[in-house]
Amino acid sequence: LPFFLFISIAVEAMDQLLQSCHSSPSLPQFSENHLKMVQKLLESNNPRMEQLATDSFVTFSNIEESSPSYHRQYDFFISKFSQMCHATYGEDSRKIRSAGLKGLRGVVWKSVTDDLHPNIWEKQHMDKIVPSILFNLQETDQLDESSKSSTLFTSFNDDPYREESPRALSDRCLRELMGKASFGSLRAVMEPVLKHMDLHAHWKPPPLFAIHVFKAIIYSIQSQNSYFVIQELINHLDSMSTADAVIRIGIATVLSNIVSIAGTSIGPLLLSIFNSLLKHLRTSVDFERSEKCKDSEAEKMYQEALINAMGDFANALPDYQKVEMMMFTVGNIPNLGEKRVKQGDEFLQHVLVKTLLKVATKYRTAYLATVFTDSFLHTLIQLALVSDPQVRLGTQQIFHTLLDRHDNLSHLSHLAYVLDVSDVQLTVEKCSRADQMFMRKHIHDMSLMLYRFVSSG
């Protein structure tokens, strides 16, 4: 104990010297000696010494230096602090992990505040820092397994006087790290995040941990860079195209949960991202129809997850972009003009109509001509008359959704037949001139479609 007391006094003295001479021209030279002392303490592998060294390093990291130190390297500190973050044995393991996280925060802060310092965003550094943060973020704060799922992502600020747990610290570290990352640095951070999710099976439904991590990332980075995270997840889904369906379901579920957050910042990449999701949907449909598919139910769940992701994506977009998405989806529906349709194409029609309906439910029609362009209306009329009854029914639901601007469908859907419409108490408004012109132009085609639909039924 006296030995440790002497060391702590010496460290405190050096810390105070460091803080008092922060504007001195001799600070860089003194800092080097200070860091050597910190390194020696960290090399002792004594938990108390390591915590003392970490606190001293954090003090150093908060000091702004007036002159750069070109030759300074933090490789040892990154490796050592990352190692401390993975401590799992002994009474002081949680304290050591907390100290390791504080040390990593100090390294990141010291590196990003000075452009002339070593590049902290290099792959070899991020491959140590990011897994160390995520390893602690996934801990359960010694909760029993039964309560893990319900309390894993609750508020971290239960008691302001209680020492922060490794999980709370790691959450803060992750958000600060992503907040400091520039666009060029994002890939270096995202790669170890995705790799960690793969190795620790965090994609398996329900992917609560993955959702929490990616929401933290999306909310922490600059909003204009949000699309990059979405694109990286889609690219990862590409690389996992042959993985088990449960893994793909997990990735699609994460996409569904975060895509609405990033939706408003995607802009010109809208159709590219939506096309990627549609491509995955088509690939899944083809795979489900093949002999290689061992679990068609899981594959259908994956398709539903993708459809939900596209619906959530659409929900965050302005109306004109929702119309674009519906047009784009319609353009991907195969073989509408052919009398005999392949079984695979028929199934794809069914899935894409479900996708179209999902997007349509997020759209609120203002003027009929805005959404029912000639090509879009013509395609819907064709879909309403195909041989597959599920596709025909889905198409009618799309018509109902887009035509019903006052939620009258809820009053009618449970009724078999209505002799007098006035008895149903529907919300009716005066028809605008634009809608009158639209109906005069297309009422014949729509009425004929309804007649043929009823006749075929």
Side-chain angles (χ1 to χ4, degrees):
L1 184 62
F3 180 66
F4 176 75
L5 185 61
F6 294 149
I7 293 175
S8 61
I9 292 172
V11 171
E12 177 67 23
M14 291 197 74
D15 287 348
Q16 290 187 14
L17 271 173
L18 197 64
Q19 290 173 313
S20 61
C21 64
H22 62 87
S23 58
S24 171
S26 61
L27 177 62
Q29 186 177 357
F30 181 76
S31 297
E32 297 307 315
N33 292 318
H34 175 265
L35 289 176
K36 285 179 182 178
M37 175 202 71
V38 172
Q39 181 172 341
K40 291 292 184 184
L41 290 174
L42 289 171
E43 288 173 346
S44 69
N45 290 325
N46 182 303
R48 297 180 71 185
M49 298 289 191
E50 288 175 343
Q51 291 179 57
L52 190 65
T54 303
D55 292 340
S56 184
F57 184 85
V58 170
T59 301
F60 161 74
S61 68
N62 288 321
I63 294 174
E64 294 184 14
E65 299 180 70
S66 56
S67 57
S69 299
Y70 301 101
H71 60 283
R72 185 181 297 158
Q73 297 292 329
Y74 294 114
D75 295 27
F76 167 80
F77 295 102
I78 293 172
S79 298
K80 180 61 182 178
F81 289 138
S82 298
Q83 178 189 337
M84 291 167 63
C85 287
H86 288 83
T88 53
Y89 299 104
E91 297 178 358
D92 297 321
S93 60
R94 284 169 59 82
K95 290 183 178 179
I96 294 171
R97 281 190 282 139
S98 293
L101 288 165
K102 290 176 183 176
L104 288 179
R105 283 184 70 203
V107 172
V108 172
W109 175 256
K110 194 65 176 174
S111 300
V112 299
T113 51
D114 191 341
D115 294 335
L116 297 174
H117 276 154
N119 187 4
I120 195 71
W121 306 106
E122 291 177 359
K123 186 178 185 301
Q124 67 265 26
H125 298 321
M126 286 296 114
D127 283 347
K128 296 175 184 176
I129 293 173
V130 174
S132 301
I133 293 173
L134 296 179
F135 175 79
N136 286 277
L137 187 58
Q138 69 193 17
E139 78 150 11
T140 57
D141 277 350
Q142 298 179 341
L143 296 173
D144 59 84
E145 291 295 318
S146 62
S147 62
K148 181 191 298 184
S149 60
S150 61
T151 56
L152 182 56
F153 305 118
T154 53
S155 173
F156 292 120
N157 301 318
D158 297 327
D159 182 359
Y161 299 102
R162 191 182 68 180
E163 184 180 353
E164 274 192 302
S165 67
R167 181 167 65 92
L169 270 172
S170 58
D171 184 82
R172 193 139 54 90
C173 284
L174 178 65
R175 294 175 189 273
E176 289 179 4
L177 181 69
M178 299 310 303
K180 291 178 172 63
S182 63
F183 178 77
S185 310
L186 281 177
R187 178 166 279 112
V189 184
M190 288 300 300
E191 285 181 359
V193 170
L194 294 169
K195 188 175 181 180
H196 183 88
M197 299 299 166
D198 293 340
L199 294 176
H200 293 265
H202 285 309
W203 298 121
K204 289 185 178 179
L208 298 178
F209 179 76
I211 291 171
H212 176 78
V213 169
F214 279 94
K215 278 188 174 182
I217 290 173
I218 285 284
Y219 280 124
S220 301
I221 62 176
Q222 297 175 17
S223 59
Q224 66 267 27
N225 296 335
S226 298
Y227 77 90
F228 180 82
V229 178
I230 303 295
Q231 193 63 60
E232 284 293 292
L233 264 176
I234 291 175
N235 292 342
H236 194 62
L237 194 56
D238 286 338
S239 66
M240 289 290 184
S241 58
T242 58
D244 290 343
V246 289
I247 295 175
R248 288 179 281 127
I249 289 169
I251 299 174
T253 304
V254 173
L255 269 171
S256 180
N257 277 270
I258 68 169
V259 76
S260 60
I261 304 170
T264 53
S265 67
I266 287 172
L269 292 173
L270 163 74
L271 292 182
S272 172
I273 290 175
F274 195 71
N275 185 40
S276 298
L277 293 172
L278 276 177
K279 185 184 76 173
H280 284 290
L281 192 58
R282 295 183 68 130
T283 303
S284 175
V285 169
D286 292 339
F287 178 69
E288 185 191 347
R289 308 297 296 180
S290 70
E291 296 178 356
K292 296 179 181 178
C293 182
K294 305 298 182 186
D295 190 350
S296 60
E297 287 302 316
E299 206 62 36
K300 286 178 181 176
M301 288 175 63
Y302 171 56
Q303 293 162 16
E304 286 292 332
L306 284 174
I307 291 171
N308 288 335
M310 286 186 268
D312 292 331
F313 186 27
N315 196 35
L317 298 173
D319 282 347
Y320 75 92
Q321 288 188 323
K322 291 174 187 172
V323 173
E324 286 181 20
M325 288 176 69
M326 287 190 281
M327 305 294 180
F328 195 75
T329 306
V330 160
N332 281 270
I333 298 176
N335 301 327
L336 280 176
E338 299 181 11
K339 292 184 178 180
R340 299 184 65 182
V341 182
K342 297 178 184 177
Q343 191 176 13
D345 287 344
E346 192 175 87
F347 188 71
L348 184 58
Q349 284 180 358
H350 170 59
V351 173
L352 290 177
V353 165
K354 283 179 66 177
T355 306
L356 187 58
L357 177 60
K358 187 75 175 181
V359 177
T361 57
K362 310 297 181 181
Y363 179 77
R364 188 165 186 84
T365 305
Y367 295 101
L368 297 178
T370 304
V371 61
F372 290 109
T373 60
D374 290 349
S375 60
F376 185 59
L377 181 61
H378 178 67
T379 304
L380 284 181
I381 290 174
Q382 282 185 302
L383 280 171
L385 300 173
V386 298
S387 58
D388 187 346
Q390 288 184 313
V391 173
R392 295 204 307 272
L393 179 61
T395 306
Q396 289 300 321
Q397 290 172 329
I398 292 168
F399 270 117
H400 297 166
T401 301
L402 294 176
L403 289 170
D404 181 22
R405 287 178 284 202
H406 300 289
D407 196 27
N408 287 323
L409 188 59
S410 59
H411 299 292
L412 295 169
S413 57
H414 63 286
L415 300 175
Y417 178 73
V418 180
L419 186 62
D420 188 355
V421 179
S422 60
D423 295 338
V424 191
Q425 297 181 341
L426 301 178
T427 304
V428 181
E429 67 176 16
K430 185 178 179 181
C431 185
S432 66
R433 180 165 178 77
D435 286 350
Q436 286 179 4
M437 293 175 64
F438 172 84
M439 292 308 296
R440 284 173 186 168
K441 181 179 179 181
H442 297 290
I443 188 64
H444 175 74
D445 293 334
M446 295 176 73
S447 301
L448 182 61
M449 176 268 294
L450 289 172
Y451 173 76
R452 293 173 64 184
F453 179 86
V454 173
S455 301
S456 63

